[in-house]
Structures are given as structure tokens and as C-alpha cells.
Amino acid sequence: MSALTSGTASTTMLDAADAARRTRVRLLIVVMLFAATTINYADRATISIAGPDMAKELGLTPVQMGYVFSAFAWSYVLAQIPGGWLLDRYSVKWVYAAAVALWSGFTLAQGAVGFFTGLTAVVMLFALRLAVGLTEAPVFPANARIVAAWFPTRERGMASAFFNSAQYFATVLFTPLMAWIVHNFGWHHVFTSMGLLGIAFAVIWLRVVDSPKNHPSMNQAERDYIEAGGALLDMDGQGTQTQGHAGKTLRELLANRMLLGIYVGQYCITVLTYFFLTWFPVYLVKERGLSILQAGFAAVLPALCGFIGGILGGVISDMLLRRGFSLTAARKIPIVGGMLLSMSIIGCNYVQTDAVVVGLMALAFFGKGIGALGWAVVADTSPRESGGLSGGLFNTFGNTAGITTPIVIGYIVQSTGSFNGALVFVGLNALVACFCYLVVVGEIRRVELKAS
């Protein structure tokens, strides 16, 4: 009996010693993903912060500005699948760096639109926003591919939640900063400062990021640890994605019931995101009577709660895995629970106090953050050779909500004269997301392609 106890103690000591000598390069990698995603979302928001002063100086009408605002979402959605193909065909590290440098360059160029007026300014802005959307397209599919390569399954939920929470952090950090730049230096400098920041980051990215199998700062102990836990070790696909092969792969992905449930669920979850990005300030001003300054401060609280919820969702998922829950349960419990919590947004129709309304909105966005584990699920399920295409398809479904949600809510508000129906619409999408994960998705597992 004593010999058995001694053997167990020796094994524990060896495991502890192995953990002590392992490097932690993967933590640096996820910090880089967080920083890239923060800059990504901040650059999307530049136009909304600079918009009022820019429209006044350039003489742009609300309709013209509406076309400019819409440009990003259209090109971003259309470029998801081509962007995913690029990631599967070429080096993720270099495609990512090129994407950051290009979208930052197009952001920088928007600061020069002030030299033009009227229709010329509209055309230039529209074209540049299209270009930003096109070049940002590969980033989230690449994030999922990098997490799958660098993190064992039991750490993947937290890693994915961390980089995904950057979308909320960008609002908290950069919105006040960009507003200060506009106030003190003019709207042009929002674009120039953010563009230069992104270009500098692209250089840093190339120096810091690489595949686990090649990274010079990573030791063998860490490499063995993540590989034993299910990490893919290689950020890149097999480099054989011809156009015809990609078409077969797409058809197979869309025919997979589990993946289709995940894709539709992501669309419904993203409806909540785009409500907060587009109509939430208008709701506070038009329906609740807040000033635009009050609405601006009120919008920070839901974003902060979304950030906290996003981190917590990853912590919960990975904790469930460590406690012996299946991968399916560990991913679905936070997603379904978070979406049910998001339905608290409907409660705003039944309260009068502004503080309670903002509190319910914050609670809904907190739930949305907890449930935003879709990218972890993409890392868990994407085929080894086509992670880029799978991620691109997932993001295509999700960001289609950026086109449909503002339009649907606009029609609801115009036809009813209030936001009551709009809030019900948003809440019901959260319910449909629950249905997708509970009924359609089934067991969460990595897909094996027949097309290969």
C-alpha cells in the first residue's frame, strides 16, 4: 500500500515539475489576438464617431451617410468565404498581417476625404469602407484557426471568449478616446491615428506570432502539453484548396446538421450585437428621452457588462470541461444560459425608470457575452484542413445580421411607432439560438470531410 502511495506521489511531483518548466507562449498569442480584435472593432467604429462632424464639414445628407455606414457590412459578409479560402490556401500568419496592414491603410486614407465634398466625398468614403470590410474579413476565421492550433480543448473556451470579448473592450476603451480626438484635433485625425496604430501592430504581429511547431520561444514541454490536449499545432491548412475543392467542401459543410445549427444560431446571437451597435442609442434618445450625451454614457455600461460576460462564459465552459462534463455540455450550458438571460431585454417594455431600462439592457448584454462561445465551437468542430472556410461560413451567417437587423427594426419602429416590437424581435432571436443548440446541433465534435 505504501509503495502505491509513493508511486502516486512521484507521478504528481513529475507532473508538477513538467508544468513548471513549460513555457506559456500560448498566453502571449491570445493577447495578440485580443489586441488585433480590439483594433479591428475600433476601426469599424471610427466612422460612427467621426460621422457627425464629418457630415457637417463635407455637406453629406443623412441618406448619403446611410450608404456610407452600410458599405462595411456588405463587403465584410461577401468576403468571408473568400477570406477563409485564403487562410486555408496560404500562411495564416502572413494573411493576417496583410489584412491588418491593408485595413489600417484604408482607414488612414479616410482621413484624406476631407479634401473633397459632395458626391465625390460619398463615393470615396463608400469605396474605402468597402475596402475596410473586404480586408477585415479573414480575421475572425483566422482567430479560430490560431486558437485551435495553440490551445488544448480544455483551454479553448477561455481563449476564444477572451479574444471575442475584445469587441466590447474596444467600445469601452476607444469610443471615449476617439471622441476626445475629434473634439480636440478634428475628425480627420481619428482615421489617421487608428490607421497608423494598425500598421504598427501588423509589424509587431509578424515578429511575435507563428505556428506552435515553429515558434522559437516555445519549448518542447509546452508543445507536448498542448498536443496531448488536442491542439492542432499547425495554424495553416494543407495548402491544397483549389477552387473546385473549396466548392465541394462548402457544400459538405452546409449539409452537416451540426454545423448548420451552429451557423444559424450564430446569426441569431449576432442580432443582439447589431441591435446594440445600431439602434440602442436611438432607442434611448427617441423612446426614453435621454440626451445624446446621456445615451453615450449609458451605452458604455452594457458594453462593459458584455466584456465581463464574455470572459466569464469562457471560464465557465473550461471549468465544466475540467470537472468532467462532455465537450457538448461544456459549450452548450453557457450558450443556452446566456441566451435565456439575454431575453431580459423584453422586460424593458414593461418598466418606466430609465435606470432600470439600462440595467436590463446591461443584463441582456451580459448574457449575450456569456453565450458568445461560437468561435470556441468553430475551433472545436472545423475540419483540420478547412478551418478557414468553416470559420468564414460561420462569420458569413453571423454578420448577415448586420445587414438584416437594422432594416427589420427600422420597419418595425416605422410601422408601430415604438420599439416594443423591436425588443421582442431581438429577444425571440435569442430564443431561436437556444433552440438551435438544444435541438439541431446535437453532439459537438470535429468534422471529418468526405471531400478530402
Side-chain angles (χ1 to χ4, degrees):
M1 190 71 175
S2 60
L4 178 60
T5 304
S6 175
T8 302
S10 298
T11 301
T12 303
M13 291 175 65
L14 286 172
D15 289 342
D18 183 60
R21 70 172 184 266
R22 283 200 301 263
T23 53
R24 299 288 186 273
V25 179
R26 64 191 184 282
L27 302 183
L28 174 62
I29 297 300
V30 79
V31 168
M32 291 295 290
L33 295 181
F34 180 85
T37 307
T38 300
I39 295 171
N40 181 289
Y41 268 86
D43 283 349
R44 298 184 196 191
T46 49
I47 193 74
S48 63
I49 302 300
D53 283 7
M54 182 173 62
K56 183 178 179 180
E57 181 177 323
L58 300 180
L60 305 181
T61 67
V63 171
Q64 290 172 329
M65 286 304 297
Y67 278 105
V68 171
F69 286 152
S70 72
F72 173 89
W74 285 99
S75 61
Y76 186 70
V77 167
L78 291 173
Q80 286 301 310
I81 292 174
W85 177 83
L86 282 173
L87 292 168
D88 289 334
R89 187 69 178 84
Y90 302 104
S91 166
V92 170
K93 172 182 176 176
W94 285 94
V95 171
Y96 204 120
V100 176
L102 285 170
W103 95 58
S104 299
F106 291 130
T107 298
L108 179 66
Q110 289 172 73
V113 174
F115 292 108
F116 304 89
T117 58
L119 183 60
T120 303
V122 173
V123 171
M124 287 192 64
L125 272 173
F126 189 84
L128 288 169
R129 293 303 292 177
L130 278 174
V132 171
L134 285 170
T135 48
E136 284 195 7
V139 170
F140 269 84
N143 285 355
R145 181 74 194 186
I146 293 168
V147 166
W150 270 94
F151 286 86
T153 303
R154 65 179 182 176
E155 296 180 8
R156 204 172 283 157
M158 182 60 200
S160 298
F162 185 65
F163 82 69
N164 196 47
S165 68
Q167 62 183 282
Y168 317 114
F169 183 76
T171 300
V172 175
L173 176 65
F174 279 103
T175 298
L177 177 61
M178 289 190 290
W180 177 80
I181 291 173
V182 170
H183 179 75
N184 288 281
F185 303 103
W187 63 267
H188 313 76
H189 294 286
V190 169
F191 296 111
T192 55
S193 58
M194 292 305 301
L196 291 172
L197 174 63
I199 292 170
F201 180 80
V203 176
I204 296 171
W205 174 273
L206 287 174
R207 294 182 64 87
V208 172
V209 177
D210 209 336
S211 285
K213 66 177 186 178
N214 300 324
H215 205 287
S217 300
M218 185 183 195
N219 65 14
Q220 191 61 40
E222 183 180 10
R223 193 173 288 109
D224 291 342
Y225 167 73
I226 67 172
E227 184 177 19
L232 301 182
L233 289 188
D234 191 358
M235 297 193 313
D236 301 325
Q238 296 178 343
T240 59
Q241 285 281 13
T242 64
Q243 186 175 355
H245 186 269
K248 292 179 181 178
T249 300
L250 282 174
R251 289 192 292 272
E252 192 168 338
L253 293 176
L254 287 170
N256 186 290
R257 173 175 168 168
M258 175 191 68
L259 291 179
L260 194 58
I262 292 167
Y263 297 156
V264 175
Q266 183 64 12
Y267 168 86
C268 296
I269 292 170
T270 311
V271 167
L272 281 82
T273 300
Y274 278 99
F275 168 76
F276 280 97
L277 288 176
T278 57
W279 282 102
F280 179 50
V282 180
Y283 167 78
L284 293 176
V285 173
K286 298 293 186 182
E287 189 90 355
R288 293 295 171 175
L290 274 63
S291 69
I292 189 63
L293 183 61
Q294 291 171 326
F297 278 104
V300 172
L301 180 61
L304 185 60
C305 289
F307 173 72
I308 296 170
I311 298 295
L312 186 59
V315 170
I316 292 170
S317 182
D318 288 350
M319 180 188 69
L320 291 172
L321 273 176
R322 286 193 297 271
R323 293 191 175 183
F325 284 77
S326 68
L327 178 63
T328 300
R331 298 296 188 240
K332 287 187 178 183
I333 288 172
I335 292 172
V336 173
M339 289 301 100
L340 291 175
L341 195 58
S342 290
M343 293 185 68
S344 61
I345 195 172
I346 299 175
C348 295
N349 289 338
Y350 305 100
V351 297
Q352 300 300 321
T353 308
D354 293 338
V356 177
V357 169
V358 174
L360 286 171
M361 289 288 185
L363 182 63
F365 216 36
F366 176 74
K368 191 267 177 185
I370 290 176
L373 284 174
W375 283 108
V377 177
V378 169
D380 294 328
T381 60
S382 294
R384 288 175 176 267
E385 64 274 36
S386 298
L389 274 177
S390 179
L393 196 56
F394 172 85
N395 218 22
T396 298
F397 273 82
N399 283 278
T400 300
I403 299 171
T404 60
T405 300
I407 296 172
V408 171
I409 292 178
Y411 276 109
I412 291 173
V413 173
Q414 181 172 305
S415 61
T416 64
S418 83
F419 276 84
N420 289 358
L423 298 187
V424 172
F425 165 76
V426 174
L428 288 178
N429 270 276
L431 185 62
V432 173
C434 292
F435 175 83
C436 286
Y437 273 92
L438 289 175
V439 178
V440 181
V441 170
E443 180 188 359
I444 293 175
R445 64 192 185 282
R446 190 168 301 284
V447 172
E448 299 290 339
L449 289 178
K450 297 176 183 177
S452 297

